[in-house]
Amino acid sequence: MSPSWFMPDPVNQQEDATIPVATYRLQFSSQFTFVEATRFVSYLRRLGISHCYASPYLKACPGSDHGYDIVDYNKLNPEIGSHEDFELFIAELQRNGMGLITDIVPNHMAIMGCSNNVWWLDVLENGQSSSYASFFDIDWYPVKKALQNKILLPVLSSHYGNTLEQQELKLTFNAEQGEFSVYYYEQRCPVDPQTYSLILSSQHEQLRNYFAADDLVFLEYQTIDNSFSKLPSRTETAEEIIEERNRDKEVFKKQLAKLCADNLPLTQFINFRVAEINRIAGEDGELHALLEQQVYRLAYWRVAGDEINYRRFFDINELAGLRVEDEKVFDATHQLILSLIEQRKIQGLRIDHADGLHDPVGYYQRLNKKISAILNVEVKQDTPPIYIVAEKIVANYEYLSSNWPIHGTTGYEFANIVNGVFIDGAAEKQLTHCYVRFIGHRQNFDEIVYPAKKYVMTTALASELNVLANQLSKIADASSKTRDYTLYGLRNALSEVVACFPVYRTYINSQTVSKADTQYINWAIEQAKQRSRAADKTVFEFVRHILLQQHNNGVAAKDLLKFVMKFQQYTPPVMAKGHEDTGLYLYNRLISLNEVGGDPRNFGNSVNAFHYFNQGRIKKWPHTMLCLSTHDTKHSADMRARINVLSEIPRQWQETVLRWRRLNKSKKTKMSKAVIARNDEYLFYQVLIGTWPLTSLTDAELAEYQERIRSYMIKAVREAKQYTSWLNPNEDYEQAVNQFIRRCLSANSSFLTHFAEFERQIRKPGLYNALAQAVLHTTSPGVPDIYQGNELWQFALVDPDNRRAVDFSKIGELLTEMEEMSAKPDFDRPQFISSLLENMEDGRIKLFVVTQTLHFRHQYAALFRDGEYLKIDVHGTGADQLLAFARKDQNNFAIIVVPRLMMHLVDKSLNDIWADTWLELPENAPRHYQELFSRCRVTAEPVGDYLQLCVREPLKRFPLAILSGVVE
């Protein structure tokens, strides 16, 4: 066994260095830089981490706190650190024998609000003649003729005409660069150089005040003006003409800049022209005429949902989709990342938003091929040359296709299956009754998500649906058998199919359709037919044949595939906005189930379901990432663990929450006829259960907590879109919610006194749940990822709450104290463990559990990387309260035992709970074991054709056990 506090050697101990032992997610920003991270690398190693897992750190919009709004793929984010800072960070990782996994964003980049996205600005200046026009997923030929060969830019806070009249649009001239731009506050829109003549106006009578007709400067100015007007049109797409335009426009700009630099009167005239154009507002002015000639059409932001003609990340106008399926785009966006991989500075990648890609499988294949080439290793069909995982939500009835050449996903499905183990499924009926009684009506999650998805398609994502419908209409028109399907009918049919789609998307990239994708499409079609009120439902058979690549009447196979692949990029944002960002904020029966990738209809999981899930993973995705909390989760794992206790006391919870409603009735002061809705009130009480601090609060700390809850609740009610929304905020309702929260959480609130008493009753079993799931996290098949700060208690809400700064110095000091204590010759381990249990609130117990299990995982890296997973049956009176499994390889055998559903047992003596509870081990298992946390030794006794191991001894000192033995 390991010494009392095992420290992994800095040299990587793995035989297969591709697979991390454990990762640790760091959120980089201007508040947490490479310099800061470098300071804490040694702490991460001491914790037991093998790879730092970094949020995106390429150049993003100024002030970005997450890094997903990239503006330059080939530069580091200067707010995070310089090249030298990055090199020092890498050197410190290497010195500690650690690797780096980098989160990359191939699907989209930021285009608005910051004027430093060179590619996008070039497209706005040159349209289809831009060298980067093919980089962005733009529909240059939408149905609306006014938008053909243009890009809709929905950046205005009011209607375009009003904005124009209010003179909020300003033409500017950069004399040093010789170029013109139109600004809407900080938003820069370059002017098409071919239209510069509308500004330069070399025949303007005002020029006579500056120059004689034969002045050489004046003649040169006329020549430059004429040259700009004769540039090739921005709609030209021939490569040689694009090259000519891009070369000549820059030459002419430089000539104009030099002429202005040498001739002050000329600069004064151009400034006069700019002022003259800006001075006359309205559609009769020159500014409007100039804007009408540009690549872009400036528009009110609310127009985006209906008419935007570039693909976005979900419904975020500021993030434009990239055509990374184009090899030129791929190379341009991966140049720096591939260089860092080649230099051995990056050992793994996390691919953000895999479902947004045109062809995820094709993307991973190309990525692996490129990495294999630069590392000079053999290309393997199904195994990446470095560790690669995809950010992908998998439904509980969905399987990630084995043809994805990656190591797995980022682990949302694991978080949900683990969470379900700590929910008492027998309480579903009672908790449903409680929920219905509290809110006054019955909720059906299916009937929440379906209309939510329809709503998204008629508002935020209507434009994308229009594009699909138009493409489908062209396909229908190509055959006499289908041309009678109207555009309106096809659009409605597509809307129904997407609203009924059971998964995020299918992955068809050829004329061959997998069995799974066929099943999902057929399900959606049948559900859509049942829900539809269309007079002619044969349209759904037409859609089915198109999606399954079975239509062959007058349409080329490549055109059918093009439509299908576009369709596949549409279903994910609809699912995300309808299910994740609406449904999960509306259905509040037990909010610990309302998690990313979760399904609140699935009320808990049995122990056998957990075993089945692990056994399947070890066969298909043995090295997938495992997470409990991430920057994307709606509730942290520790928060969910506390809320789960409510499933063990449904009757008591009902009595309590109804009492709270009575206590707080007076706090619902009507303000403009608005009061907090019962559904939102029910959500509020569960949020308090999950997040209430474990230590007493000062007045300042209570005020800070109130603000956290208030911010979350406003976000939640806006996401629910029932009484307010992001699109149309209802100030009266939001003020009523704020007032209710403030009154409930005031220091002298009678509710708060009663709440604190109830929370204390469920606190300990909730913390036991959290410790147990932490052990499952670090011992199950796969690679555990610790989200920053979660080695201590973290009762965090959805972002931005879960991205708050982490005090690494404090955590490091706690770890140092425990290390120094354990190193003393007179270290009393039983007394130390007792102190951890008596003071669970201070978080040291979780740090102890996480560190011990990670060190154990390091020590037996091969066992956890390649070992078998064995279900262990539990017998006796405490059998339902334990979950046990074993990891086994040729040399080692480790048994993991954790408690569950402990609400009614937690105050009993541990001796009494497990007095006659035992594990059934296979007869070829070791007989002798040492327990990791308490260091006690136990022996299994043979009984018939198996071994019996009593758990009373290992669990009486500590509520969790990891028992290790040597295979003889």
Side-chain angles (χ1 to χ4, degrees):
M1 284 298 297
S2 62
S4 62
W5 201 274
F6 171 72
M7 176 65 65
D9 190 86
V11 178
N12 197 320
Q13 301 177 45
Q14 294 172 270
E15 297 171 12
D16 182 358
T18 302
I19 310 302
V21 174
T23 65
Y24 191 97
R25 171 78 177 202
L26 289 174
Q27 291 296 117
F28 284 101
S29 69
S30 60
Q31 304 303 308
F32 187 81
T33 65
F34 293 135
V35 172
E36 289 293 306
T38 303
R39 288 175 51 205
F40 299 113
V41 166
S42 62
Y43 158 72
L44 295 182
R45 174 182 157 259
R46 288 161 50 212
L47 186 66
I49 301 299
S50 67
H51 288 67
C52 175
Y53 165 28
S55 65
Y57 49 76
L58 301 185
K59 188 176 181 181
C61 279
S64 174
D65 62 355
H66 49 75
Y68 290 102
D69 45 359
I70 289 173
V71 296
D72 193 330
Y73 281 94
N74 294 307
K75 292 180 181 177
L76 298 176
N77 190 340
E79 294 186 358
I80 294 176
S82 65
H83 176 75
E84 291 73 21
D85 295 335
F86 180 74
E87 290 293 326
L88 289 173
F89 173 55
I90 296 299
E92 183 67 6
L93 286 172
Q94 293 175 347
R95 190 179 72 82
N96 282 273
M98 296 171 63
L100 177 64
I101 293 172
T102 295
D103 192 347
I104 64 172
V105 192
N107 175 67
H108 58 266
M109 66 188 310
I111 57 170
M112 295 181 189
C114 45
S115 58
N116 48 2
N117 187 329
V118 175
W119 296 350
W120 182 252
L121 291 175
D122 195 272
V123 175
L124 294 186
E125 181 181 41
N126 301 294
Q128 294 174 77
S129 292
S130 168
S131 300
Y132 305 104
S134 64
F135 280 42
F136 299 96
D137 203 348
I138 301 168
D139 180 11
W140 292 104
Y141 304 102
V143 172
K144 187 170 182 175
K145 291 184 178 180
L147 283 176
Q148 290 187 355
N149 296 312
K150 284 183 173 284
I151 302 172
L152 184 78
L153 281 189
V155 298
L156 307 180
S157 60
S158 182
H159 290 282
Y160 168 75
N162 296 334
T163 304
L164 199 61
E165 289 181 357
Q166 295 297 320
Q167 296 186 312
E168 294 176 278
L169 298 171
K170 299 290 184 182
L171 176 67
T172 66
F173 176 57
N174 185 328
E176 293 183 0
Q177 301 295 326
E179 63 184 13
F180 294 93
S181 301
V182 173
Y183 275 86
Y184 177 66
Y185 297 100
E186 295 179 357
Q187 178 68 50
R188 177 184 168 227
C189 300
V191 172
D192 177 358
Q194 193 193 32
T195 67
Y196 277 16
S197 58
L198 296 174
I199 307 168
L200 297 176
S201 191
S202 62
Q203 303 303 316
H204 200 288
E205 61 180 16
Q206 185 71 23
L207 280 169
R208 298 173 187 171
N209 297 332
Y210 295 103
F211 303 102
D214 59 351
D215 190 306
L216 292 177
V217 172
F218 175 60
L219 293 175
E220 186 176 353
Y221 181 70
Q222 286 183 313
T223 301
I224 293 174
D225 182 11
N226 189 48
S227 297
F228 277 120
S229 67
K230 291 183 178 180
L231 283 169
S233 167
R234 65 172 184 265
T235 59
E236 295 287 352
T237 56
E239 193 170 324
E240 63 276 9
I241 298 180
I242 290 176
E243 184 178 345
E244 176 191 343
R245 174 186 162 99
N246 282 286
R247 178 190 66 239
D248 290 352
K249 72 179 178 66
E250 293 304 317
V251 170
F252 302 153
K253 284 182 185 179
K254 290 178 181 178
Q255 290 175 347
L256 180 61
K258 186 176 186 307
L259 200 61
C260 288
D262 295 340
N263 298 274
L264 180 60
L266 191 57
T267 304
Q268 291 174 337
F269 169 73
I270 293 177
N271 288 336
F272 161 78
R273 279 293 295 146
V274 168
E276 184 178 46
I277 292 170
N278 284 329
R279 186 168 59 251
I280 303 175
E283 61 183 32
D284 295 329
E286 288 187 87
L287 181 57
H288 172 65
L290 178 67
L291 287 170
E292 289 292 276
Q293 300 301 312
Q294 301 311 306
V295 176
Y296 43 85
R297 177 174 176 173
L298 296 170
Y300 183 29
W301 67 270
R302 290 182 183 274
V303 172
D306 292 329
E307 294 190 341
I308 202 164
N309 60 330
Y310 59 86
R311 182 172 60 86
R312 300 164 292 171
F313 172 70
F314 294 171
D315 60 346
I316 302 175
N317 299 335
E318 293 80 6
L319 300 177
L322 289 168
R323 297 184 62 253
V324 75
E325 63 272 15
D326 183 325
E327 188 163 8
K328 182 172 70 171
V329 181
F330 181 99
D331 290 341
T333 53
H334 290 70
Q335 180 180 334
L336 176 57
I337 289 297
L338 290 175
S339 173
L340 294 175
I341 292 172
E342 183 177 17
Q343 297 171 53
R344 305 303 201 270
K345 293 172 182 174
I346 292 177
Q347 286 72 41
L349 296 174
R350 181 253 200 195
I351 313 301
D352 179 63
H353 190 44
D355 279 344
L357 300 174
H358 184 254
D359 177 12
V361 176
Y363 170 83
Y364 296 126
Q365 290 171 340
R366 174 174 285 160
L367 179 63
N368 291 342
K369 184 177 179 181
K370 297 277 187 181
I371 295 174
S372 296
I374 62 176
L375 295 181
N376 195 28
V377 296
E378 181 183 354
V379 179
K380 296 182 180 179
Q381 185 175 358
D382 57 352
T383 305
I386 63 173
Y387 187 68
I388 296 179
V389 291
E391 192 258 343
K392 156 72 181 158
I393 292 174
V394 182
N396 57 17
Y397 42 77
E398 180 184 10
Y399 294 94
L400 184 66
S401 175
S402 57
N403 69 348
W404 285 38
I406 59 176
H407 286 98
T409 70
T410 51
Y412 299 139
E413 61 275 21
F414 177 80
N416 283 289
I417 197 75
V418 168
N419 183 67
V421 168
F422 300 94
I423 293 174
D424 189 348
E428 180 173 12
K429 185 176 180 180
Q430 288 178 297
L431 277 184
T432 302
H433 174 75
C434 173
Y435 182 41
V436 170
R437 183 174 174 185
F438 190 98
I439 66 174
H441 63 277
R442 186 170 294 275
Q443 294 254 49
N444 183 307
F445 190 67
D446 287 324
E447 298 310 314
I448 288 175
V449 173
Y450 170 78
K453 292 170 77 173
K454 294 291 285 287
Y455 174 77
V456 167
M457 286 185 280
T458 58
T459 54
L461 299 174
S463 177
E464 290 87 344
L465 182 61
N466 291 338
V467 171
L468 284 173
N470 292 329
Q471 289 183 356
L472 189 59
S473 182
K474 291 176 183 178
I475 294 172
D477 285 344
S479 171
S480 61
K481 293 182 178 180
T482 56
R483 70 182 189 183
D484 285 344
Y485 294 130
T486 66
L487 178 60
Y488 177 80
L490 290 168
R491 189 183 189 282
N492 282 348
L494 283 174
S495 175
E496 288 291 348
V497 172
V498 174
C500 296
F501 222 70
V503 292
Y504 266 68
R505 63 169 285 175
T506 50
Y507 301 92
I508 301 166
N509 59 7
S510 68
Q511 274 65 58
T512 302
V513 183
S514 71
K515 181 180 178 181
D517 286 344
T518 300
Q519 289 174 334
Y520 299 139
I521 290 169
N522 283 333
W523 166 268
I525 294 292
E526 292 305 318
Q527 293 297 308
K529 285 169 66 175
Q530 291 178 30
R531 288 184 177 272
S532 174
R533 296 181 180 180
D536 182 3
K537 294 191 177 183
T538 62
V539 67
F540 289 102
E541 291 307 311
F542 171 63
V543 174
R544 187 202 306 267
H545 291 149
I546 297 296
L547 294 178
L548 294 176
Q549 300 286 281
Q550 296 171 350
H551 183 78
N552 56 7
N553 291 333
V555 182
K558 65 179 181 62
D559 292 329
L560 290 181
L561 184 59
K562 181 180 178 181
F563 169 80
V564 171
M565 297 187 77
K566 196 73 177 176
F567 174 87
Q568 292 177 147
Q569 283 183 293
Y570 183 62
T571 56
V574 174
M575 177 70 90
K577 301 307 293 182
H579 183 283
E580 302 284 341
D581 292 342
T582 303
L584 294 186
Y585 287 97
L586 267 174
Y587 189 75
N588 297 321
R589 179 177 62 174
L590 187 67
I591 65 168
S592 54
L593 290 167
N594 297 13
E595 195 47 80
V596 177
D599 188 338
R601 292 167 294 193
N602 184 31
F603 197 89
N605 300 305
S606 67
V607 169
N608 282 336
F610 176 80
H611 292 313
Y612 178 80
F613 180 82
N614 275 344
Q615 288 164 344
R617 186 175 348 104
I618 206 167
K619 290 178 182 177
K620 297 180 179 179
W621 301 101
H623 304 133
T624 190
M625 187 173 277
L626 309 178
C627 76
L628 291 180
S629 298
T630 76
H631 60 287
D632 283 327
T633 43
K634 298 187 183 301
H635 317 99
S636 68
D638 293 343
M639 180 181 172
R640 297 193 301 268
R642 293 169 77 179
I643 294 172
N644 286 341
V645 178
L646 301 180
S647 70
E648 300 182 60
I649 51 170
R651 289 197 175 135
Q652 184 183 349
W653 167 242
Q654 178 173 299
E655 293 171 1
T656 301
V657 77
L658 289 175
R659 179 180 177 184
W660 291 346
R661 190 177 72 183
R662 292 192 298 271
L663 279 173
N664 292 332
K665 186 177 181 180
S666 62
K667 298 177 177 63
K668 300 179 185 180
T669 303
K670 289 190 176 182
M671 307 177 69
S672 301
K673 298 182 180 180
V675 296
I676 188 171
R678 288 186 176 185
N679 194 37
D680 296 331
E681 183 182 358
Y682 198 74
L683 167 66
F684 169 68
Y685 295 139
Q686 291 182 75
V687 168
L688 294 188
I689 291 292
T691 60
W692 187 250
L694 300 180
T695 55
S696 58
L697 301 177
T698 64
D699 290 344
E701 289 169 337
L702 180 60
E704 181 183 354
Y705 179 73
Q706 287 178 6
E707 178 56 26
R708 282 182 59 207
I709 302 303
R710 188 204 66 78
S711 297
Y712 168 80
M713 286 298 299
I714 295 302
K715 177 169 183 172
V717 297
R718 286 184 177 181
E719 295 285 13
K721 306 172 188 66
Q722 194 164 28
Y723 303 103
T724 184
S725 68
W726 297 107
L727 200 61
N728 292 297
N730 181 334
E731 291 184 9
D732 287 343
Y733 185 72
E734 293 182 9
Q735 188 177 359
V737 172
N738 286 335
Q739 184 84 318
F740 180 77
I741 293 170
R742 185 181 65 79
R743 291 174 173 177
C744 287
L745 297 182
S746 63
N748 58 355
S749 166
S750 58
F751 157 73
L752 205 55
T753 301
H754 189 272
F755 168 81
E757 292 175 359
F758 177 79
E759 186 275 330
R760 276 194 292 272
Q761 295 176 43
I762 68 169
R763 176 180 294 182
K764 194 170 182 180
L767 298 183
Y768 271 23
N769 283 349
L771 292 175
Q773 66 187 9
V775 169
L776 297 181
H777 182 207
T778 50
T779 56
S780 292
V783 176
D785 171 57
I786 310 294
Y787 183 59
Q788 61 176 31
N790 276 260
E791 61 271 40
L792 288 184
W793 300 128
Q794 283 287 342
F795 306 106
L797 294 154
V798 72
D799 69 282
D801 191 68
N802 61 15
R803 300 183 190 186
R804 288 174 295 148
V806 174
D807 190 344
F808 287 104
S809 295
K810 174 186 174 183
I811 307 175
E813 288 171 3
L814 288 176
L815 182 58
T816 299
E817 287 176 11
M818 289 195 289
E819 288 172 343
E820 291 176 349
M821 185 183 301
S822 67
K824 292 180 179 178
D826 59 346
F827 176 58
D828 188 333
R829 195 173 192 89
Q831 184 180 1
F832 171 68
I833 287 178
S834 295
S835 73
L836 294 180
L837 289 167
E838 291 169 5
N839 301 281
M840 291 181 71
E841 287 83 355
D842 63 20
R844 290 181 305 143
I845 190 169
K846 187 179 181 187
L847 181 61
F848 171 73
V849 167
V850 170
T851 308
Q852 289 281 282
T853 53
L854 288 180
H855 289 175
F856 186 77
R857 190 177 182 101
H858 259 282
Q859 187 178 14
Y860 299 104
L863 170 68
F864 288 101
R865 185 184 65 241
D866 304 319
E868 299 177 46
Y869 177 94
L870 304 177
K871 169 190 172 183
I872 300 296
D873 289 327
V874 185
H875 301 275
T877 55
D880 291 339
Q881 275 67 50
L882 286 185
L883 184 159
F885 63 89
R887 303 301 304 275
K888 174 182 180 295
D889 66 9
Q890 188 174 358
N891 301 311
N892 300 288
F893 195 95
I895 304 170
I896 292 84
V897 186
V898 300
R900 57 188 290 270
L901 309 181
M902 292 287 288
M903 177 64 191
H904 300 295
L905 301 176
V906 75
D907 291 326
K908 294 183 179 180
S909 165
L910 294 177
N911 281 331
D912 297 334
I913 297 174
W914 316 119
D916 62 346
T917 304
W918 51 276
L919 309 180
E920 180 183 329
L921 307 182
E923 61 180 341
N924 59 350
R927 288 192 59 194
H928 304 289
Y929 298 88
Q930 184 176 34
E931 201 283 311
L932 177 67
F933 303 113
S934 67
R935 294 290 190 262
C936 75
R937 296 182 181 276
V938 293
T939 300
E941 300 298 335
V943 178
D945 58 355
Y946 63 87
L947 296 177
Q948 184 181 89
L949 180 65
C950 294
V951 298
R952 178 179 180 178
E953 186 64 25
L955 293 181
K956 74 179 182 181
R957 295 182 178 89
F958 202 69
L960 318 155
I962 297 179
L963 301 150
S964 63
V966 177
V967 177
E968 298 177 358

